[in-house]
Amino acid sequence: MIVFLVMALSQRGQTYLWHWMGAMGASMAGSFIMMGVPPETLPSVPVTIVVYWLYSASLVLSWTGFRSFFGRPVDIGLGVFLCALPGLLYPAMLLAGLSNRLALAAVFACCLIVAVLAFYETVRRTAGTARLWSQYIEAVAFGFYALVFVLSIGMLLGTDRPIASAESARASLILDQVAGVFVYFGYVAMAAERANRNLVRIAETDPLTGLYNRRGLQEALRHRYVPSGDMPAGLLIADIDHFKSINDRHGHESGDLVLIAFANRMRGVLRASDIITRWGGEEFLVVLPGVTRQELAVIAESLRASVAEQPFPLRAGSLAVTVSIGIATVNLGDGDFEQATQRADAALYGAKTGGRNRVCFGPARASSQGAQARRGEEILADLHAAWQVGENASAA
């Protein structure tokens, strides 16, 4: 409780910590009350009602804590109903003349429902995020709770064993403590694991555009590709033309909006498998795995045309923007990445000095590839000419 109180006070916006701390407090209070009841006797009905409310509150707060942790909506009314139901159902069934066994089985059925809901939240996949390893700890714990409730219902309805005994009380206490270790350490592990992932994401992501930064690119390449074998890919370096003038004339806020819009434009044109990186300032680098030289030229020209044809929205109105692109081919398996980056950068310089708003191929890696380089330039010339024809037709 002290550990969670410190965590909750230091992270006041994380409501799931308060839910989980409440779950621990309710379970602890219920255990303290039961410790005062002799194991050979049944507690009185009022004590039983309070204990059932506390234990059901512990399960419900665990469930709502999971929903809050994963950013899912929490239905307060449903939570209160599930908390109150066991404590209300038990005396109502006794007053109706039903047996104590049947009333207890109904209480355990209510708890089983909440345990299953909590189990479901731990195994349910959240769109756009990877599962945490610590989720499986909670899945095991609440799956175990659900199994215990099922077995308890079966014993109540299918056997004539005494409801209260020293052995059963001791066994219940041990089982609850073992499961509690998994549950409460699992809470801490989930919070810590997600915090660590967030730190890694922050370290590898450009905060303005949400794209990879240089470190993120290195990690993405390291995880997706082994440093051996034949892995052909394309490399694209794009630089927004006259970006300094945009900042000078429209302000840095408008410059940031252009960068964000350009990043979104790249996401729309490029493939999901392409690794897009903010290389620095107004420069962006993209690794396109598995593309041929001709495909790389087509994709780069599509990106250039998409930027030139659609002005970028700013607060003061739309702004026409163009981009210069340098491209090169690379084999990710032979350690050629740095050299390919230099070739693409040299091609970008050629696009800038050649008039901007164009795509240029980088120099070939070897003299034997001179024909391929010339063919690449021919492809780009044909694509650019086709785009100009389309623009002239639209103007006419």
Side-chain angles (χ1 to χ4, degrees):
M1 286 290 294
I2 292 173
V3 169
F4 264 83
L5 179 61
V6 171
M7 291 175 63
L9 289 175
S10 64
Q11 305 175 55
R12 294 178 185 273
Q14 308 299 333
T15 56
Y16 59 86
L17 293 174
W18 296 99
H19 286 248
W20 289 341
M21 187 173 66
M24 283 191 291
S27 176
M28 184 172 62
S31 298
F32 277 131
I33 292 174
M34 290 302 296
M35 286 172 61
V37 179
E40 294 82 7
T41 62
L42 286 173
S44 64
V45 173
V47 171
T48 302
I49 292 173
V50 172
V51 169
Y52 289 159
W53 275 337
L54 289 170
Y55 280 150
S56 60
S58 176
L59 289 168
V60 169
L61 286 169
S62 295
W63 169 59
T64 56
F66 287 135
R67 291 191 65 84
S68 176
F69 180 85
F70 293 114
R72 299 161 189 162
V74 175
D75 190 329
I76 302 297
L78 178 60
V80 172
F81 172 76
L82 292 174
C83 285
L85 185 60
L88 297 176
L89 191 61
Y90 179 74
M93 295 185 71
L94 293 181
L95 289 174
L98 299 176
S99 67
N100 190 41
R101 285 181 175 275
L102 195 58
L104 283 174
V107 169
F108 287 148
C110 295
C111 295
L112 172 62
I113 291 172
V114 183
V116 170
L117 288 174
F119 173 82
Y120 172 70
E121 296 298 336
T122 62
V123 298
R124 178 181 173 188
R125 182 178 292 278
T126 302
T129 60
R131 281 198 180 101
L132 304 172
W133 287 105
S134 47
Q135 284 181 244
Y136 296 106
I137 298 176
E138 298 296 352
V140 170
F142 281 94
F144 175 76
Y145 271 128
L147 178 61
V148 169
F149 287 132
V150 169
L151 294 176
S152 299
I153 294 170
M155 291 177 63
L156 285 169
L157 300 180
T159 68
D160 295 327
R161 294 186 61 184
I163 294 177
S165 66
E167 291 78 10
S168 63
R170 190 180 303 113
S172 298
L173 180 62
I174 292 173
L175 290 175
D176 185 63
Q177 292 299 314
V178 170
V181 169
F182 277 89
V183 169
Y184 301 131
F185 276 96
Y187 291 157
V188 176
M190 286 177 65
E193 185 177 358
R194 190 168 74 174
N196 182 64
R197 286 194 181 182
N198 286 339
L199 288 174
V200 171
R201 178 182 56 79
I202 291 170
E204 297 178 355
T205 304
D206 172 55
L208 180 65
T209 62
L211 302 175
Y212 284 121
N213 57 22
R214 292 194 178 216
R215 175 176 174 175
L217 171 65
Q218 293 173 355
E219 289 300 312
L221 291 174
R222 186 172 65 86
H223 283 100
R224 297 190 193 185
Y225 307 106
V226 294
S228 62
D230 187 25
M231 300 179 192
L235 200 63
L236 178 157
I237 299 181
D239 186 278
I240 299 174
D241 294 330
H242 305 295
F243 185 74
K244 185 177 183 302
S245 298
I246 295 175
N247 278 332
D248 293 341
R249 287 183 300 178
H250 302 281
H252 288 279
E253 181 182 0
S254 296
D256 289 345
L257 291 176
V258 168
L259 291 172
I260 294 170
F262 180 69
N264 292 332
R265 192 74 55 87
M266 294 180 77
R267 291 187 182 99
V269 173
L270 300 173
R271 307 168 304 171
S273 59
D274 298 334
I275 305 174
I276 311 174
T277 307
R278 186 179 179 189
W279 197 238
E282 67 273 21
E283 276 193 358
F284 296 80
L285 181 145
V286 186
V287 177
L288 303 94
V291 297
T292 64
R293 197 173 185 85
Q294 183 171 0
E295 291 170 339
L296 176 60
V298 171
I299 294 172
E301 179 62 22
S302 297
L303 175 61
R304 185 206 62 77
S306 173
V307 172
E309 291 169 357
Q310 302 176 38
F312 286 14
L314 299 179
R315 299 190 190 280
S318 297
L319 177 67
V321 176
T322 61
V323 63
S324 299
I325 301 175
I327 56 178
T329 55
V330 60
N331 188 342
L332 296 175
D334 62 7
D336 184 44
F337 186 78
E338 291 298 328
Q339 291 79 5
T341 302
Q342 294 173 9
R343 294 195 298 273
D345 197 55
L348 174 63
Y349 179 77
K352 289 285 189 183
T353 57
R356 294 184 170 86
N357 188 25
R358 65 187 61 232
V359 179
C360 285
F361 251 114
R365 285 179 291 174
S367 58
S368 61
Q369 295 176 319
Q372 294 184 15
R374 289 191 296 273
R375 177 56 184 155
E377 296 298 340
E378 293 171 2
I379 294 169
L380 288 172
D382 292 342
L383 289 171
H384 192 67
W387 178 79
Q388 291 288 357
V389 170
E391 284 292 291
N392 294 334
S394 300

